Amino acid sequence: MAMSVIGDRRSREQKAKQEREKELAKVTIKKEDLELIMTEMETSQAAAERSLRKHMGNIVEALIALTN
């Protein structure tokens, strides 16, 4: 019983994560913003892109999140 509940919860969490990733993928980001974050924060393209997408392309919020 408990294993079933845990499995169901993990399944729901995985589905929610996949939906969130789909939504983030739809966010438009500017190439120059991505390059600026990568250069200034000395971070990977993946990290810079993720931060920009999480903050709906808002470079200021993305930079703040990376510094915290």
Side-chain angles (χ1 to χ4, degrees), residues 24-36:
L24 289 177
K26 293 177 186 176
V27 175
T28 302
I29 57 173
K30 296 178 185 172
K31 183 178 179 182
E32 58 269 16
D33 290 350
L34 181 62
E35 290 172 356
L36 177 72

Side-chain angles (χ1 to χ4, degrees), residues 2-59:
M3 294 303 288
S4 175
V5 170
I6 292 170
D8 289 347
R9 188 170 130 219
R10 283 190 181 149
S11 178
R12 283 192 309 273
E13 288 172 356
Q14 186 66 20
K15 185 173 181 174
K17 184 177 178 181
Q18 288 172 344
E19 290 299 316
R20 176 74 174 144
E21 292 301 319
K22 285 181 187 177
E23 290 301 313
L24 289 177
K26 293 177 186 176
V27 175
T28 302
I29 57 173
K30 296 178 185 172
K31 183 178 179 182
E32 58 269 16
D33 290 350
L34 181 62
E35 290 172 356
L36 177 72
I37 290 176
M38 289 169 50
T39 302
E40 294 300 318
M41 300 303 294
E42 298 179 350
T43 190
S44 69
Q45 180 176 346
E49 186 173 335
R50 180 103 179 132
S51 186
L52 274 169
R53 290 189 188 283
K54 278 185 169 180
H55 295 92
M56 302 306 196
N58 183 317
I59 191 169

